[in-house]
Amino acid sequence: MFSRLPNVREPRRVTVLGAGVAGLVAAYELERLGHQVEIIEAADRVGGRVHTHRFGSAPGAPFADLGAMRLRTDHTRTLHYVVELGLHNDIREFRTLFADDGNLLSIHDERHIRVREAPDVLTGRLAARLGDHSYRPATLLFGAWLHACLEAIAPRDFNDWPEVTTELLDLVDGIDLEPYLHPAGSKPDLYAVVKDHPQIRSGPFRGRERLLDDVLDETSPALYRLRGGMETLTNALAARIQGPIWLNQEVTGIAVHDDGVAVGVRRGGRIRYRNYDHVLCTIPFTVLRGLRLDGFDADKLAAVHETQYWPATKIALRCREPFWAADGIAGGASFTGGLVRQTYYPPVEGDPAQGAVLIASYTIGPDAEALGRLDPAARRQVVLDEVARMHPGLRERGMILDTAGRAWGEHRWSLGAATIRWGQDAGTRKEQQWAAARPQGRLFFAGEHCSSMPAWIEGAIESVTDALRDMETRDPHELMRLDLGR
Ligand SMILES: Cc1cc2nc3c(=O)[nH]c(=O)nc-3n(C[C@H](O)[C@H](O)[C@H](O)COP(=O)(O)OP(=O)(O)OC[C@H]3O[C@@H](n4cnc5c(N)ncnc54)[C@H](O)[C@@H]3O)c2cc1C
């Protein structure tokens, strides 16, 4: 991704804090440029918010992606590493929310309907709400599905809720939606409609573009996953890094000086400060704001303390068999309507005798906060009760073999799932991105929170490009000449 330096006159030593995607990509690229790198990581594993839980160590054991689980087909930075690390044969289609005609969605009265029967119900409801306004059937279908996707992805009490308005429908009514309709006619490709007609994004969704983007991205047919789990990417990156990756080493403080950066690290029971020449910090600001920080300017401290994150929870069940197949579901995801929100049905990839995984619940924001407050046993029970209303087969004796989950808002090394910039205009988003990424002396910053695509692996990688550019321009010897002309 970055051009190799022809002549490294004086290789630099760069210390990277955090071994998530951003830290690993940065270390990998810095080494390619001829620099010496070490990584300090608090957890006992690499990958950070890319975390594939394996139910057992036997070959073919089922797994669940408890963090990132898919990427967009136009995430060229992420795909670059997938290909470069030899994982291209592991790219698979990711079937998302409502992708299967048998997927279920809640319609508020304790009832769940199938995707295939949803168009009549959803468009009928929308038409009733609109009263005298009349639109073409395809326009109503677009509006009804957009509403359903917004409702399924945004949390229940999201107070910045964008309604499907007559302003939006007036605009869409003038677009020929025929090419975007699913052959079976049940669901238009919302993502492609908005991509081809940016006036939808900049008009009715002005100021909420990021929310619209995330909803459309997550429900788009243009998504990939990695066979074997997303952690194969971060593990492959780590395997290519020559310098040491120190695990179980918690950074407790950072002090910026004129000639370098002192970093306090807890090793065993003791904290020791060491001086480093250049440091790249990828620690999420939720964690960073709890550390001792010296030599930071006031604006930077404000960015560290005020950047907003949202929590997320995922709960995965290893089931005796993919019982949902008997229920007419071949993949994709359903929407429960309650606290559970989204339920995903990943394909059985390993040894079927070891069971099948159901991502029973994927929840963000206030709903995740509510689930995160429960102790793990109570959280599991809430999820089981809610999912079993949709899938009574879950209650069969011996159906659930194992459970795994993570409340990212409570997880010590994340204290949040991702930065959220849903309700902000483009200018504010850019300002916040710059404030998060702005270096302090020889301390540089990267991570999804420093990017224009927060909450995506792609964003974490984008931020590395920017951080290395910062290092280049601040380096008096211009040692880090990067090809940033993309
Ligand atoms: C539930 C969930 C679902 C997601 N779904 C997707 C998806 O489908 N697709 C997608 O592209 N993205 C998704 N994301 C977002 C994606 O996972 C992140 O954007 C990306 O992994 C962030 O990488 P990062 O390197 O910026 O941060 P992190 O991965 O958080 O890396 C930071 C590292 O710093 C370490 N650290 C923290 N504190 C300290 C300390 N004091 N000392 C030393 N080290 C420390 C952490 O352990 C961690 O390894 C999802 C995230 C979550 C939580």
Side-chain angles (χ1 to χ4, degrees):
M1 174 147 286
F2 304 93
S3 70
R4 202 174 279 277
L5 257 188
N7 296 306
V8 175
R9 284 167 295 169
E10 190 190 330
R12 287 293 166 103
R13 279 204 297 270
V14 183
T15 304
V16 177
L17 310 182
V21 173
L24 292 169
V25 167
Y28 176 77
E29 291 298 346
L30 284 162
E31 282 189 348
R32 273 170 39 102
L33 291 163
H35 302 283
Q36 272 178 32
V37 183
E38 65 176 318
I39 306 184
I40 301 175
E41 166 59 52
D44 58 3
R45 52 174 284 277
V46 302
R49 281 170 275 172
V50 176
H51 180 28
T52 306
H53 174 85
R54 297 193 190 276
F55 290 95
S57 51
F63 64 84
D65 272 320
L66 297 179
M69 60 182 169
R70 68 299 211 217
L71 56 121
R72 237 170 50 189
T73 53
D74 63 352
H75 281 178
T76 50
R77 298 176 182 88
T78 313
L79 285 168
H80 165 86
Y81 291 102
V82 169
V83 172
E84 179 153 313
L85 298 166
L87 301 173
H88 45 285
N89 290 329
D90 295 328
I91 296 175
R92 296 287 182 279
E93 177 198 10
F94 179 89
R95 297 198 70 210
T96 193
L97 189 68
F98 307 146
D100 191 278
D101 262 9
N103 289 157
L104 293 152
L105 69 152
S106 153
I107 51 165
H108 291 297
D109 48 9
E110 291 283 303
R111 256 197 325 139
H112 294 95
I113 54 170
R114 302 274 178 185
V115 163
R116 72 174 76 87
E117 66 210 33
D120 285 348
V121 180
L122 299 181
T123 52
R125 287 182 167 210
L126 180 59
R129 180 161 71 73
L130 293 168
D132 289 343
H133 297 269
S134 71
Y135 294 100
R136 289 183 303 132
T139 306
L140 282 177
L141 196 63
F142 174 93
W145 273 115
L146 182 60
H147 179 86
C149 291
L150 283 163
E151 190 172 34
I153 287 180
R156 286 181 304 175
D157 297 329
F158 184 56
N159 52 16
D160 213 3
W161 179 260
E163 276 293 344
V164 168
T165 57
T166 48
E167 183 196 354
L168 171 72
L169 296 176
D170 288 346
L171 205 143
V172 174
D173 219 30
I175 297 172
D176 176 13
L177 292 173
E178 206 51 45
Y180 304 97
L181 287 175
H182 190 271
S186 58
K187 196 164 159 276
D189 183 345
L190 306 177
Y191 174 84
V193 174
V194 177
K195 189 166 172 241
D196 293 348
H197 302 89
Q199 65 272 31
I200 297 177
R201 204 174 165 273
S202 59
F205 278 88
R206 197 177 314 107
R208 295 196 187 107
E209 297 95 340
R210 278 297 317 172
L211 166 63
L212 182 67
D213 291 346
D214 280 348
V215 169
L216 296 177
D217 288 349
E218 292 186 21
T219 54
S220 149
L223 293 169
Y224 290 146
R225 65 184 175 89
L226 286 182
R227 186 171 69 99
M230 293 300 279
E231 214 176 82
T232 51
L233 177 63
T234 41
N235 286 343
L237 271 168
R240 293 278 190 102
I241 293 167
Q242 311 283 315
I245 302 177
W246 306 107
L247 300 178
N248 297 307
Q249 312 267 314
E250 177 194 0
V251 172
T252 59
I254 303 176
V256 178
H257 302 299
D258 288 346
D259 57 349
V261 182
V263 177
V265 175
R266 195 190 307 275
R267 289 199 173 97
R270 292 181 55 198
I271 295 172
R272 284 185 45 193
Y273 270 82
R274 274 186 59 193
N275 289 316
Y276 297 97
D277 295 339
H278 293 84
V279 173
L280 175 68
C281 177
T282 71
I283 296 173
F285 281 179
T286 40
V287 177
L288 194 65
R289 63 182 68 137
L291 310 190
R292 181 176 173 156
L293 304 177
D294 293 308
F296 284 48
D297 65 42
D299 287 349
K300 187 73 199 186
L301 284 176
V304 171
H305 284 274
E306 288 163 18
T307 298
Q308 268 196 327
Y309 283 68
W310 262 13
T313 56
K314 270 195 188 171
I315 294 176
L317 307 175
R318 179 166 75 95
C319 300
R320 190 181 61 211
E321 67 213 18
F323 62 83
W324 48 92
D327 211 7
I329 295 178
S334 294
F335 168 54
T336 66
L339 256 187
V340 159
R341 311 306 284 169
Q342 300 166 40
T343 299
Y344 284 81
Y345 313 94
V348 180
E349 245 175 19
D351 171 11
Q354 296 187 55
V357 167
L358 179 73
I359 306 273
S361 171
Y362 176 25
T363 304
I364 59 169
D367 299 319
E369 228 162 69
L371 278 178
R373 275 196 297 270
L374 302 173
D375 69 64
R379 192 184 306 148
R380 179 180 183 274
Q381 200 53 50
V382 167
V383 170
L384 291 190
D385 289 346
E386 204 177 300
V387 176
R389 280 201 285 281
M390 212 165 49
H391 292 303
L394 196 58
R395 293 226 183 268
E396 244 180 63
R397 183 185 284 272
M399 181 56 81
I400 301 173
L401 304 177
D402 211 346
T403 310
R406 173 144 293 177
W408 290 94
E410 320 291 311
H411 181 60
R412 186 171 172 194
W413 309 124
S414 307
L415 298 177
T419 323
I420 190 95
R421 302 207 174 102
W422 274 359
Q424 295 166 354
D425 58 48
T428 311
R429 288 200 305 273
K430 199 79 214 160
E431 266 172 36
Q432 293 203 351
Q433 181 195 338
W434 283 340
R438 195 166 57 83
Q440 300 286 281
R442 293 191 187 178
L443 174 64
F444 300 87
F445 294 87
E448 58 88 24
H449 52 289
C450 301
S451 78
S452 68
M453 298 180 70
W456 288 97
I457 290 173
E458 185 77 356
I461 299 176
E462 179 204 79
S463 73
V464 172
T465 313
D466 294 342
L468 298 199
R469 190 207 319 257
D470 281 338
M471 284 190 187
E472 175 198 20
T473 52
R474 290 196 164 213
D475 186 333
H477 302 287
E478 293 188 283
L479 287 172
M480 300 185 179
R481 246 185 266 278
L482 307 173
D483 174 13
L484 296 164
R486 286 168 303 112

PDB file of all heavy atoms in Angstrom, residues 150-166:
ATOM      1  N   LEU A 150     -33.690   1.193   9.038  1.00  0.00           N
ATOM      2  CA  LEU A 150     -33.311   2.193  10.048  1.00  0.00           C
ATOM      3  C   LEU A 150     -33.735   1.702  11.428  1.00  0.00           C
ATOM      4  O   LEU A 150     -32.981   1.783  12.404  1.00  0.00           O
ATOM      5  CB  LEU A 150     -34.008   3.524   9.765  1.00  0.00           C
ATOM      6  CG  LEU A 150     -33.427   4.383   8.641  1.00  0.00           C
ATOM      7  CD1 LEU A 150     -34.432   5.432   8.193  1.00  0.00           C
ATOM      8  CD2 LEU A 150     -32.153   5.065   9.115  1.00  0.00           C
ATOM      9  N   GLU A 151     -34.935   1.182  11.489  1.00  0.00           N
ATOM     10  CA  GLU A 151     -35.474   0.740  12.773  1.00  0.00           C
ATOM     11  C   GLU A 151     -34.664  -0.430  13.330  1.00  0.00           C
ATOM     12  O   GLU A 151     -34.436  -0.528  14.541  1.00  0.00           O
ATOM     13  CB  GLU A 151     -36.922   0.312  12.569  1.00  0.00           C
ATOM     14  CG  GLU A 151     -37.644   0.071  13.868  1.00  0.00           C
ATOM     15  CD  GLU A 151     -39.125  -0.166  13.646  1.00  0.00           C
ATOM     16  OE1 GLU A 151     -39.478  -0.763  12.612  1.00  0.00           O
ATOM     17  OE2 GLU A 151     -39.901   0.248  14.501  1.00  0.00           O
ATOM     18  N   ALA A 152     -34.219  -1.320  12.449  1.00  0.00           N
ATOM     19  CA  ALA A 152     -33.494  -2.497  12.913  1.00  0.00           C
ATOM     20  C   ALA A 152     -32.072  -2.156  13.336  1.00  0.00           C
ATOM     21  O   ALA A 152     -31.519  -2.796  14.229  1.00  0.00           O
ATOM     22  CB  ALA A 152     -33.454  -3.548  11.801  1.00  0.00           C
ATOM     23  N   ILE A 153     -31.468  -1.156  12.736  1.00  0.00           N
ATOM     24  CA  ILE A 153     -30.059  -0.888  13.025  1.00  0.00           C
ATOM     25  C   ILE A 153     -29.876   0.181  14.092  1.00  0.00           C
ATOM     26  O   ILE A 153     -29.054   0.032  14.986  1.00  0.00           O
ATOM     27  CB  ILE A 153     -29.302  -0.569  11.725  1.00  0.00           C
ATOM     28  CG1 ILE A 153     -29.179  -1.907  10.989  1.00  0.00           C
ATOM     29  CG2 ILE A 153     -27.929   0.035  11.997  1.00  0.00           C
ATOM     30  CD1 ILE A 153     -28.505  -1.899   9.702  1.00  0.00           C
ATOM     31  N   ALA A 154     -30.665   1.246  14.042  1.00  0.00           N
ATOM     32  CA  ALA A 154     -30.550   2.258  15.097  1.00  0.00           C
ATOM     33  C   ALA A 154     -31.178   1.688  16.383  1.00  0.00           C
ATOM     34  O   ALA A 154     -32.095   0.883  16.302  1.00  0.00           O
ATOM     35  CB  ALA A 154     -31.273   3.518  14.670  1.00  0.00           C
ATOM     36  N   PRO A 155     -30.649   2.084  17.545  1.00  0.00           N
ATOM     37  CA  PRO A 155     -31.228   1.573  18.791  1.00  0.00           C
ATOM     38  C   PRO A 155     -32.662   2.050  19.000  1.00  0.00           C
ATOM     39  O   PRO A 155     -33.100   3.022  18.387  1.00  0.00           O
ATOM     40  CB  PRO A 155     -30.316   2.162  19.862  1.00  0.00           C
ATOM     41  CG  PRO A 155     -29.186   2.774  19.168  1.00  0.00           C
ATOM     42  CD  PRO A 155     -29.533   2.986  17.753  1.00  0.00           C
ATOM     43  N   ARG A 156     -33.372   1.376  19.919  1.00  0.00           N
ATOM     44  CA  ARG A 156     -34.804   1.669  20.112  1.00  0.00           C
ATOM     45  C   ARG A 156     -35.062   3.122  20.487  1.00  0.00           C
ATOM     46  O   ARG A 156     -35.965   3.747  19.986  1.00  0.00           O
ATOM     47  CB  ARG A 156     -35.381   0.772  21.209  1.00  0.00           C
ATOM     48  CG  ARG A 156     -35.561  -0.645  20.759  1.00  0.00           C
ATOM     49  CD  ARG A 156     -36.138  -1.471  21.847  1.00  0.00           C
ATOM     50  NE  ARG A 156     -35.328  -1.408  23.058  1.00  0.00           N
ATOM     51  CZ  ARG A 156     -35.668  -1.966  24.195  1.00  0.00           C
ATOM     52  NH1 ARG A 156     -36.803  -2.590  24.324  1.00  0.00           N
ATOM     53  NH2 ARG A 156     -34.864  -1.894  25.238  1.00  0.00           N
ATOM     54  N   ASP A 157     -34.234   3.658  21.416  1.00  0.00           N
ATOM     55  CA  ASP A 157     -34.513   5.007  21.904  1.00  0.00           C
ATOM     56  C   ASP A 157     -33.624   6.051  21.256  1.00  0.00           C
ATOM     57  O   ASP A 157     -33.325   7.071  21.863  1.00  0.00           O
ATOM     58  CB  ASP A 157     -34.355   5.056  23.424  1.00  0.00           C
ATOM     59  CG  ASP A 157     -35.363   4.138  24.074  1.00  0.00           C
ATOM     60  OD1 ASP A 157     -36.453   3.976  23.497  1.00  0.00           O
ATOM     61  OD2 ASP A 157     -35.049   3.566  25.128  1.00  0.00           O
ATOM     62  N   PHE A 158     -33.206   5.802  20.040  1.00  0.00           N
ATOM     63  CA  PHE A 158     -32.338   6.773  19.362  1.00  0.00           C
ATOM     64  C   PHE A 158     -33.136   8.043  19.099  1.00  0.00           C
ATOM     65  O   PHE A 158     -34.145   8.020  18.407  1.00  0.00           O
ATOM     66  CB  PHE A 158     -31.844   6.155  18.048  1.00  0.00           C
ATOM     67  CG  PHE A 158     -30.871   7.020  17.317  1.00  0.00           C
ATOM     68  CD1 PHE A 158     -29.713   7.447  17.939  1.00  0.00           C
ATOM     69  CD2 PHE A 158     -31.108   7.413  16.018  1.00  0.00           C
ATOM     70  CE1 PHE A 158     -28.803   8.243  17.272  1.00  0.00           C
ATOM     71  CE2 PHE A 158     -30.200   8.210  15.342  1.00  0.00           C
ATOM     72  CZ  PHE A 158     -29.048   8.630  15.976  1.00  0.00           C
ATOM     73  N   ASN A 159     -32.699   9.152  19.714  1.00  0.00           N
ATOM     74  CA  ASN A 159     -33.569  10.334  19.646  1.00  0.00           C
ATOM     75  C   ASN A 159     -33.298  11.218  18.434  1.00  0.00           C
ATOM     76  O   ASN A 159     -33.906  12.257  18.282  1.00  0.00           O
ATOM     77  CB  ASN A 159     -33.476  11.147  20.950  1.00  0.00           C
ATOM     78  CG  ASN A 159     -32.045  11.457  21.289  1.00  0.00           C
ATOM     79  OD1 ASN A 159     -31.177  11.327  20.430  1.00  0.00           O
ATOM     80  ND2 ASN A 159     -31.780  11.827  22.536  1.00  0.00           N
ATOM     81  N   ASP A 160     -32.384  10.775  17.568  1.00  0.00           N
ATOM     82  CA  ASP A 160     -32.118  11.546  16.366  1.00  0.00           C
ATOM     83  C   ASP A 160     -32.668  10.799  15.161  1.00  0.00           C
ATOM     84  O   ASP A 160     -32.089  10.772  14.089  1.00  0.00           O
ATOM     85  CB  ASP A 160     -30.602  11.754  16.215  1.00  0.00           C
ATOM     86  CG  ASP A 160     -30.299  13.089  15.571  1.00  0.00           C
ATOM     87  OD1 ASP A 160     -31.254  13.841  15.317  1.00  0.00           O
ATOM     88  OD2 ASP A 160     -29.118  13.357  15.322  1.00  0.00           O
ATOM     89  N   TRP A 161     -33.765  10.173  15.362  1.00  0.00           N
ATOM     90  CA  TRP A 161     -34.365   9.237  14.422  1.00  0.00           C
ATOM     91  C   TRP A 161     -34.829   9.935  13.146  1.00  0.00           C
ATOM     92  O   TRP A 161     -35.690  10.810  13.198  1.00  0.00           O
ATOM     93  CB  TRP A 161     -35.567   8.611  15.127  1.00  0.00           C
ATOM     94  CG  TRP A 161     -36.327   7.645  14.311  1.00  0.00           C
ATOM     95  CD1 TRP A 161     -37.488   7.881  13.651  1.00  0.00           C
ATOM     96  CD2 TRP A 161     -35.998   6.295  14.071  1.00  0.00           C
ATOM     97  NE1 TRP A 161     -37.911   6.759  13.017  1.00  0.00           N
ATOM     98  CE2 TRP A 161     -37.004   5.754  13.254  1.00  0.00           C
ATOM     99  CE3 TRP A 161     -34.926   5.485  14.452  1.00  0.00           C
ATOM    100  CZ2 TRP A 161     -36.981   4.449  12.816  1.00  0.00           C
ATOM    101  CZ3 TRP A 161     -34.922   4.184  14.014  1.00  0.00           C
ATOM    102  CH2 TRP A 161     -35.945   3.681  13.210  1.00  0.00           C
ATOM    103  N   PRO A 162     -34.304   9.600  11.979  1.00  0.00           N
ATOM    104  CA  PRO A 162     -34.793  10.251  10.771  1.00  0.00           C
ATOM    105  C   PRO A 162     -36.033   9.523  10.252  1.00  0.00           C
ATOM    106  O   PRO A 162     -36.000   8.328   9.990  1.00  0.00           O
ATOM    107  CB  PRO A 162     -33.636  10.096   9.791  1.00  0.00           C
ATOM    108  CG  PRO A 162     -32.818   8.981  10.318  1.00  0.00           C
ATOM    109  CD  PRO A 162     -33.235   8.655  11.710  1.00  0.00           C
ATOM    110  N   GLU A 163     -37.104  10.219  10.149  1.00  0.00           N
ATOM    111  CA  GLU A 163     -38.337   9.633   9.616  1.00  0.00           C
ATOM    112  C   GLU A 163     -38.230   9.521   8.094  1.00  0.00           C
ATOM    113  O   GLU A 163     -37.492  10.277   7.463  1.00  0.00           O
ATOM    114  CB  GLU A 163     -39.527  10.541   9.949  1.00  0.00           C
ATOM    115  CG  GLU A 163     -40.110  10.321  11.329  1.00  0.00           C
ATOM    116  CD  GLU A 163     -40.771   8.953  11.474  1.00  0.00           C
ATOM    117  OE1 GLU A 163     -41.053   8.307  10.446  1.00  0.00           O
ATOM    118  OE2 GLU A 163     -40.973   8.522  12.615  1.00  0.00           O
ATOM    119  N   VAL A 164     -38.980   8.591   7.530  1.00  0.00           N
ATOM    120  CA  VAL A 164     -39.123   8.561   6.077  1.00  0.00           C
ATOM    121  C   VAL A 164     -40.174   9.622   5.757  1.00  0.00           C
ATOM    122  O   VAL A 164     -41.357   9.450   6.032  1.00  0.00           O
ATOM    123  CB  VAL A 164     -39.535   7.153   5.610  1.00  0.00           C
ATOM    124  CG1 VAL A 164     -39.960   7.162   4.168  1.00  0.00           C
ATOM    125  CG2 VAL A 164     -38.370   6.190   5.823  1.00  0.00           C
ATOM    126  N   THR A 165     -39.720  10.751   5.228  1.00  0.00           N
ATOM    127  CA  THR A 165     -40.598  11.918   5.077  1.00  0.00           C
ATOM    128  C   THR A 165     -41.140  12.038   3.648  1.00  0.00           C
ATOM    129  O   THR A 165     -40.645  11.388   2.725  1.00  0.00           O
ATOM    130  CB  THR A 165     -39.789  13.204   5.363  1.00  0.00           C
ATOM    131  OG1 THR A 165     -38.680  13.199   4.461  1.00  0.00           O
ATOM    132  CG2 THR A 165     -39.305  13.261   6.790  1.00  0.00           C
ATOM    133  N   THR A 166     -42.107  12.935   3.504  1.00  0.00           N
ATOM    134  CA  THR A 166     -42.640  13.188   2.154  1.00  0.00           C
ATOM    135  C   THR A 166     -41.556  13.864   1.304  1.00  0.00           C
ATOM    136  O   THR A 166     -41.522  13.662   0.092  1.00  0.00           O
ATOM    137  CB  THR A 166     -43.899  14.074   2.225  1.00  0.00           C
ATOM    138  OG1 THR A 166     -43.623  15.184   3.066  1.00  0.00           O
ATOM    139  CG2 THR A 166     -45.085  13.307   2.755  1.00  0.00           C
TER     140      THR A 166
END
